Amino acid sequence: MKTKQIIAAAKKVSRPYRVTNGKKFRLKDVDPGDTQDFTSEDKPRAKEALQSGIQALAELQDVLYANDRWSVLLIFQAMDAAGKDGTIKHVMSGINPQGCQVSSFKSPSSEDLDHDYLWRCIKKLPERGRIGIFNRSYYEETLVVRVHPEFLAGQKLPEPCVTKQIWKERFQDIRSFERYLKRNGTIVLKFFLHVSKEEQKKRFMARLDLPEKNWKFSANDAKERGFWNDYMKVYEETIQETASEDAPWYVVPADNKWYTRVVVAAAVIDALSSLNLHYPKVGEAKLKELAEAKKTLLAGK
């Protein structure tokens, strides 16, 4: 497929999962097992589509890097075992490592807790011309911290700052921050990989049963399943409160990893192509310099 065809197909695949206005969004309306027109028999076709998408993504990223004006931030949030790591690995496999930066955010360090909650993520924002990937992000502050209020107590906030409206205030802060990024040339795409509780259990069991996957399992993973309904509630509200044209959410069905990867790749292709970027044009002085260099090379041995 030619790049133009891939871009057109990417929009068709990714747009159904794109949320720019959260007022009417309901998590129950998205089926974690959805695969649109693809069936399990179409997995080979989906894998071919992913490979074509990766090639197109590499082309678009190369122009982004050469243009050196815009940057792209991809944020991945999900429950454990939803496939964040695998999605990042497969979708970004064709990207030039020089133009891509991956940052993973786990429990905040003591240094992190001596700053505001955005600080550790701001330090990792992508430079112009690059794609930055956040494996978890500042959204943990409206997700895990909300499910476990005791974490908020450890953030050393001054007492007057811990108000009854703190979650609404954080939503306001995040909306303003992402609008600021967009206004300064950073495209923000946010992905919630929506896995079902049943599929998560299957993947946890695989981690326990297969020796090569044992390292992936943590006892805390099983413990957090007990808060499943709480997490679904805060994910839904977070998406409702922070989905915007400046920084859309993509709520991606994650029960079928092969399909998840196709949708994520399609969303990134759609966003990059919408920038309508081109390689920088060389001015007259540079063209003259290149001509002289060519002449010197041809005259030499």
Side-chain angles (χ1 to χ4, degrees):
M1 293 176 68
K2 294 182 179 179
T3 301
K4 286 185 178 180
Q5 293 175 304
I6 294 171
I7 290 170
K11 183 176 294 187
K12 182 179 178 182
V13 169
S14 63
R15 287 299 174 99
Y17 306 110
R18 189 171 186 259
V19 184
T20 57
N21 185 340
K23 290 182 180 179
K24 296 182 179 180
F25 174 75
R26 296 294 181 274
L27 195 55
K28 64 180 177 61
D29 294 336
V30 182
D31 177 6
D34 183 32
T35 56
Q36 285 193 59
D37 297 331
F38 292 94
T39 65
S40 57
E41 287 74 27
D42 293 320
K43 283 177 68 173
R45 183 165 66 93
K47 289 182 178 180
E48 288 180 13
L50 178 59
Q51 288 306 311
S52 297
I54 289 171
Q55 291 175 16
L57 190 55
E59 292 178 25
L60 291 166
Q61 185 261 339
D62 194 57
V63 181
L64 176 79
Y65 186 80
N67 190 267
D68 198 29
R69 290 291 183 275
W70 293 89
S71 59
V72 177
L73 175 62
L74 310 179
I75 294 175
F76 288 87
Q77 295 286 159
M79 296 295 286
D80 292 316
K84 295 190 310 300
D85 292 349
T87 298
I88 293 168
K89 175 183 175 181
H90 284 80
V91 172
M92 310 309 289
S93 61
I95 295 294
N96 183 341
Q98 292 185 99
C100 185
Q101 305 156 344
V102 182
S103 302
S104 295
F105 297 98
K106 298 183 179 181
S107 298
S109 67
S110 58
E111 183 183 19
D112 295 332
L113 292 173
D114 275 334
H115 295 81
D116 63 274
Y117 70 88
L118 285 173
W119 178 78
R120 64 175 181 159
C121 294
I122 289 174
K123 291 194 303 177
K124 300 294 185 177
L125 287 172
E127 300 163 321
R128 298 196 189 281
R130 290 169 171 78
I131 297 175
I133 299 171
F134 283 1
N135 188 340
R136 302 195 189 278
S137 67
Y138 45 84
Y139 276 105
E140 294 295 286
E141 297 298 326
T142 65
L143 297 168
V144 65
V145 176
R146 196 167 183 185
V147 172
H148 297 286
E150 63 272 19
F151 292 165
L152 184 64
Q155 293 186 350
K156 300 194 290 187
L157 285 167
E159 189 174 338
C161 295
V162 185
T163 71
K164 292 181 179 180
Q165 302 298 314
I166 189 167
W167 306 117
K168 287 186 177 181
E169 291 167 355
R170 288 195 169 182
F171 288 139
Q172 290 172 353
D173 293 340
I174 289 171
R175 288 195 301 267
S176 297
F177 175 61
E178 291 176 346
R179 184 169 58 246
Y180 164 82
L181 291 177
K182 176 67 178 296
R183 287 175 174 173
N184 286 274
T186 297
I187 302 299
V188 182
L189 304 182
K190 303 170 296 192
F191 298 94
F192 171 50
L193 306 190
H194 186 26
V195 70
S196 67
K197 193 174 184 181
E198 295 73 23
E199 179 62 24
Q200 187 199 54
K201 182 178 180 179
K202 290 180 184 177
R203 295 180 186 179
F204 278 170
M205 291 303 295
R207 292 180 178 183
L208 290 168
D209 294 339
L210 299 173
E212 65 271 23
K213 291 190 176 183
N214 286 171
W215 65 274
K216 286 187 174 184
F217 190 80
S218 164
N220 192 57
D221 295 342
K223 180 182 175 183
E224 287 300 287
R225 273 176 64 82
F227 298 94
W228 185 274
N229 291 337
D230 295 327
Y231 273 110
M232 294 303 103
K233 182 178 178 181
V234 296
Y235 264 112
E236 180 176 85
E237 186 168 353
T238 291
I239 293 166
Q240 288 172 341
E241 292 287 342
T242 60
S244 68
E245 288 288 348
D246 291 324
W249 275 100
Y250 288 84
V251 182
V252 184
D255 277 8
N256 298 283
K257 294 180 181 180
W258 54 271
Y259 184 68
T260 304
R261 294 161 186 170
V262 169
V263 174
V264 171
V268 181
I269 289 168
D270 184 25
L272 281 173
S273 64
S274 69
L275 296 176
N276 196 29
L277 300 178
H278 303 281
Y279 287 105
K281 290 185 178 180
V282 177
E284 289 296 325
K286 184 67 175 180
L287 286 172
K288 186 177 180 180
E289 180 185 328
L290 294 175
E292 288 296 325
K294 185 176 182 180
K295 188 186 298 184
T296 301
L297 287 170
L298 288 172
K301 294 183 180 179

